[in-house]
Amino acid sequence: SRIAFNSRLSGRQHSEIYVVNSDGSGAYEITTSITSNPSVDWFPSWCGSQTILFQRQFNDGPAQLWKVQPNGTGLTKISLDDTKSYTYPVCSPDGTKVAFARYDSTTFLTQLFIMNSNGTGEAKIANQPSRDNVEPAWGGNSRVYFASAMSGQSGIYGIDIAGTKSVQITAPDGLTMGTPTVSSDGATVEIGRT
């Protein structure tokens, strides 16, 4: 019944997180940049009906993961390592886990991680096929689909969160692919291509 999105509707320089009713009415801002150290808030993702995850980046540091309630209260940082960049947070259908991509500037790797929705238990998903894995989407509560770069081309993969069953959904063909979306029954994966 509600949609979370990022926008600069406020007229400020950086984007904030907003919530709007699904009929387009009643849009309101739920995050606000700090003037002395502005942040960019984007990639919101619902985690149940009372929590929104999002990616926040201040001018002076890497992106981190935060959560907030739809009324703007309870703003809390849930990522643990301020030296790493956390991006593309998505909550599992049952609301217990968060999948995200984490970039390490010392290894130049972007890998998929999961953690509990309260920020504990951060762990890398094992046996990923490439060094550049981004844009995760849950297929049920134990499988993640994602975009992965292979030899400069992008493909879509699926992997269970234990890292034991990986499958290539699309073959790299020179086209840019990303942002997989999974049907509610987990049977179909929709992708973007350019």
Side-chain angles (χ1 to χ4, degrees):
S1 63
R2 292 174 294 176
I3 300 167
F5 64 99
N6 57 270
S7 177
R8 293 190 296 171
L9 285 172
S10 66
R12 291 186 292 274
Q13 181 179 1
H14 300 296
S15 68
E16 315 288 357
I17 305 300
Y18 289 76
V19 171
V20 65
N21 295 324
S22 58
D23 64 2
S25 66
Y28 60 95
E29 180 182 330
I30 62 170
T31 67
T32 303
S33 292
I34 302 169
T35 305
S36 60
N37 187 16
S39 65
V40 179
D41 297 340
W42 72 114
F43 292 114
S45 174
W46 288 95
C47 196
S49 62
Q50 295 303 314
T51 302
I52 297 171
L53 304 174
F54 66 97
Q55 172 182 326
R56 168 171 278 187
Q57 184 170 13
F58 291 99
N59 286 340
D60 59 358
Q64 297 288 303
L65 299 187
W66 292 67
K67 67 179 181 179
V68 66
Q69 294 177 19
N71 62 4
T73 63
L75 181 65
T76 307
K77 184 169 80 73
I78 62 171
S79 50
L80 301 177
D81 190 339
D82 290 340
T83 68
K84 306 295 191 296
S85 188
Y86 294 72
T87 58
Y88 307 107
V90 287
C91 198
S92 60
D94 65 6
T96 63
K97 301 284 185 185
V98 179
F100 56 95
R102 197 184 81 179
Y103 174 72
D104 187 333
S105 60
T106 60
T107 62
F108 305 106
L109 296 175
T110 303
Q111 298 282 277
L112 296 180
F113 282 72
I114 58 169
M115 64 179 163
N116 298 321
S117 56
N118 64 2
T120 63
E122 183 177 313
K124 185 177 81 170
I125 298 175
N127 300 316
Q128 294 175 49
S130 174
R131 59 182 296 148
D132 296 311
N133 301 311
V134 295
E135 300 178 340
W138 288 90
N141 292 309
S142 61
R143 190 164 190 79
V144 175
Y145 294 90
F146 58 97
S148 181
M150 304 242 332
S151 302
Q153 300 174 344
S154 297
I156 302 299
Y157 289 75
I159 194 167
D160 68 291
I161 60 175
T164 57
K165 297 177 183 176
S166 177
V167 60
Q168 184 175 353
I169 305 299
T170 63
D173 59 4
L175 298 174
T176 299
M177 301 182 193
T179 318
T181 302
V182 185
S183 61
S184 58
D185 62 3
T188 305
V189 180
E190 180 181 281
I191 61 172
R193 298 179 64 158
T194 58

